[in-house]
């Protein structure tokens, strides 16, 4: 589901793709990649920024609002994990 923040990110990506990449990833390797792609051609920078926005939207759907952390290269991991207690062979 598209939220207002996603629409704003898309508008920023249309105007200046590295800014959208910076909002999503912070100062990371993806920002440098997006800057280089934008210098090489405006369309590759757009495609990379839209891909980052898409991956962020998928993480929001999977982990919930704010329940994920960006780990780099378009991957997200949950902030919280629910682990089952280990019984080590004991029967409950």
């Amino acid at each position: 589901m598209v939220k207002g923040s996603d629409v704003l990110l898309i508008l920023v990506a249309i105007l200046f793709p590295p800014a959208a990449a910076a909002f999503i990833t912070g100062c990371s390797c993806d920002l440098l990649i997006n800057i280089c792609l934008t210098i090489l051609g405006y369309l590759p920078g757009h495609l990379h920024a839209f891909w980052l926005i898409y991956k962020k939207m998928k993480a929001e759907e999977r982990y919930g609002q704010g329940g994920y952390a960006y780990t780099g290269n378009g991957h997200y991991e949950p902030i919280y994990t629910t682990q089952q207690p280990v019984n080590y062979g004991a029967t409950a």
Side-chain angles (χ1 to χ4, degrees):
M1 184 167 161
V2 178
K3 297 185 170 97
S5 62
D6 297 330
V7 173
L8 183 64
L9 273 174
I10 291 170
L11 290 175
V12 170
I14 290 171
L15 296 175
F16 190 60
F23 291 151
I24 295 171
T25 65
C27 186
S28 69
C29 184
D30 281 316
L31 176 61
L32 181 63
I33 290 170
N34 194 277
I35 290 171
C36 291
L37 287 172
T38 303
I39 290 171
L40 289 173
Y42 207 54
L43 184 62
H46 274 100
L47 292 176
H48 184 253
F50 292 142
W51 178 73
L52 288 173
I53 293 169
Y54 170 76
K55 295 296 272 189
K56 179 186 158 296
M57 290 171 56
K58 295 304 272 183
E60 284 180 352
E61 287 179 10
R62 186 172 184 182
Y63 303 121
Q65 180 70 25
Y68 56 89
Y70 184 74
T71 58
N73 199 19
H75 296 287
Y76 291 88
E77 290 183 357
I79 292 176
Y80 53 87
T81 57
T82 56
Q83 294 179 350
Q84 298 293 328
V86 180
N87 291 331
Y88 295 111
T91 56

